[in-house]
């Protein structure tokens, strides 16, 4: 049920909609949280103790925002931007989540503009996630809390980064 609901959330973000007001140039003036990076080539990598609860919080926020989109109180791009603000406040920046959010936002924008359809959007995100799954085992400095990326992995029914 949770995976179905989460998939519906992403599908809602990726469906077609109307106008866009420069979402790619929006600035986030919030304070940046430091992010824990574990190891440099060490075999002793562990996810942050709060990782899975952070993934659940991001899922809950995505569900809340999806409801607001379905009610017409915001666009899908606005919801994606608010979800990004939430994930930064929750877990901070890291290169994996920052990259995946940029891809996610681009997908949402192109979908909202009608440049791509939902299936293309989903494939675009899945391809990027697959790329991180391939890079993850050989990364030297892995972020301890790639919660946004693992949220997307969960939605797309893919193996999480661990």
């Amino acid at each position: 049920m949770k995976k179905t609901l989460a998939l519906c959330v992403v599908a809602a973000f990726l469906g077609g909609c109307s106008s866009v007001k420069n979402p790619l140039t929006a600035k986030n003036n919030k304070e940046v949280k430091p992010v824990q990076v574990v190891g440099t080539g060490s075999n002793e990598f562990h996810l942050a103790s709060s990782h899975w609860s952070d993934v659940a919080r991001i899922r809950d926020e995505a569900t809340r925002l999806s409801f607001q989109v379905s009610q017409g109180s915001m666009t899908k791009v606005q919801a994606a931007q608010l979800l990004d603000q939430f994930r930064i406040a929750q877990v901070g920046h890291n290169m994996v989540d920052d990259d995946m959010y940029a891809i996610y936002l681009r997908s949402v924008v192109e979908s909202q503009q009608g440049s791509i359809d939902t299936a293309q959007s989903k494939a675009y995100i899945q391809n990027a996630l697959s790329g991180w799954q391939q890079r993850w085992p050989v990364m030297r400095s892995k972020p301890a809390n790639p919660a946004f990326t693992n949220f997307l992995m969960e939605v797309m029914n893919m193996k999480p980064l661990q």
Side-chain angles (χ1 to χ4, degrees):
M1 173 69 177
K2 286 182 182 180
K3 286 184 182 180
T4 303
L5 180 59
L7 185 55
C8 290
V9 169
V10 170
F13 284 133
L14 300 178
C17 204
S18 57
S19 69
V20 177
K21 294 183 181 180
N22 292 330
L24 298 175
T25 60
K27 299 287 183 196
N28 183 354
N29 295 327
K30 290 191 175 190
E31 184 178 323
V32 176
K33 284 174 77 174
V35 174
Q36 176 186 5
V37 175
V38 179
T40 53
S42 162
N43 291 334
E44 289 297 321
F45 173 78
H46 299 286
L47 289 171
S49 60
S50 65
H51 177 75
W52 297 111
S53 61
D54 291 335
V55 170
R57 285 185 195 99
I58 290 170
R59 181 187 330 106
D60 291 346
E61 181 66 2
T63 302
R64 186 187 73 78
L65 291 169
S66 174
F67 179 74
Q68 290 188 4
V69 169
S70 72
Q71 297 297 305
S73 60
M74 71 176 66
T75 68
K76 292 166 182 127
V77 170
Q78 290 169 329
Q81 291 169 329
L82 289 173
L83 185 60
D84 186 48
Q85 290 173 9
F86 180 84
R87 71 109 185 161
I88 291 168
Q90 191 69 42
V91 301
H93 286 279
N94 69 68
M95 68 182 227
V96 177
D97 280 355
D98 291 349
D99 178 68
M100 279 311 306
Y101 175 72
I103 291 165
Y104 175 75
L105 179 62
R106 188 175 325 129
S107 178
V108 172
V109 169
E110 289 179 13
S111 177
Q112 185 166 298
Q113 290 173 333
S115 304
I116 60 176
D117 63 24
T118 302
Q120 290 169 315
S121 231
K122 182 177 178 181
Y124 186 57
I125 291 170
Q126 283 178 321
N127 286 338
L129 291 169
S130 291
W132 278 112
Q133 283 178 323
Q134 290 172 10
R135 285 181 289 242
W136 188 258
V138 296
M139 283 180 69
R140 289 185 177 207
S141 296
K142 297 175 182 175
N145 200 358
F148 181 74
T149 301
N150 275 343
F151 158 71
L152 290 175
M153 293 281 192
E154 178 182 281
V155 169
M156 299 294 176
N157 201 26
M158 297 172 74
K159 183 182 176 203
L161 305 176
Q162 296 188 46

